Amino acid sequence: MASSMPPMPPPSADVLYSNGLRDINGKHYDLAGQEFSDYLKYYGGTDLASNAQFYLGEIAYMQGEFPQALEAYNKVLTNYPKSFKTAPARMRKGFCLVELGQKAAAIRELRAVVREYPGTDEAKRSSAKLKELGATAG
C-alpha cells in the first residue's frame, strides 16, 4: 500500500540558482536548464529571475538552438525590462538573428545595443559583430 507522502518542497532559491550557475559553467547544460527553469517556476518574482531567464537563453545558444535562445532573450527583454541583463540579452538576440540568417533584423538589434548602451562591453561586441557583417554601427 503506497503511503501518501507530501510532495518535497523545492530547493531554496539560493541553492537552485547556485547549482544552475555551477552546472552551466561545468557545461552540464541539460541539468542547468532544468535548475534555471525550476528557479523561474518557484521564484519568478525575485531579483535573480531575469538572470535565470537569460541563462536559459545562453544554454540554448551554446547548444545551437537559436530559435529557443531567441525566445529566451526576448522574455528577458519583455518580462524584465529594467534588469541589468537587458544589454546582454539584446546583444545575444542580435547574435541569434545572425545565426538564423536574419541579417537586417540582426543589424537593427546590434545598432540599438551600440546606441542604447554606449561604452559597455555589449556595445563593443555588438559593434565588432556589425563590422563583421559589413555594417556600420550608426
Side-chain angles (χ1 to χ4, degrees):
M1 193 165 197
S3 64
S4 58
M5 296 283 295
M8 293 287 294
S12 75
D14 289 345
V15 167
L16 264 178
Y17 189 82
S18 61
N19 286 351
L21 283 180
R22 180 198 65 217
D23 290 327
I24 197 172
N25 289 328
K27 297 185 175 23
H28 304 291
Y29 298 131
D30 291 342
L31 188 55
Q34 187 58 56
E35 287 156 343
F36 287 125
S37 292
D38 285 350
Y39 187 93
L40 288 170
K41 179 176 165 184
Y42 297 114
Y43 307 106
T46 64
D47 289 345
L48 292 175
S50 64
N51 292 25
Q53 183 62 58
F54 177 79
Y55 289 128
L56 288 174
E58 292 292 89
I59 291 164
Y61 190 93
M62 288 184 257
Q63 293 180 315
E65 297 170 356
F66 302 113
Q68 294 90 328
L70 185 63
E71 184 182 326
Y73 296 132
N74 277 330
K75 281 184 182 174
V76 172
L77 300 171
T78 304
N79 299 347
Y80 312 99
K82 300 209 181 318
S83 164
F84 60 91
K85 286 294 186 193
T86 54
R90 286 202 79 176
M91 178 192 72
R92 295 298 268 187
K93 178 181 175 181
F95 290 7
C96 277
L97 291 166
V98 170
E99 296 293 340
L100 293 167
Q102 299 176 32
K103 187 175 175 183
I107 290 170
R108 276 194 307 277
E109 200 63 42
L110 295 169
R111 282 180 175 159
V113 173
V114 172
R115 186 176 60 250
E116 293 174 28
Y117 309 99
T120 62
D121 182 50
E122 289 81 12
K124 291 179 188 115
R125 291 176 64 194
S126 295
S127 189
K129 183 60 96 173
L130 285 164
K131 279 191 189 116
E132 197 180 292
L133 296 169
T136 60

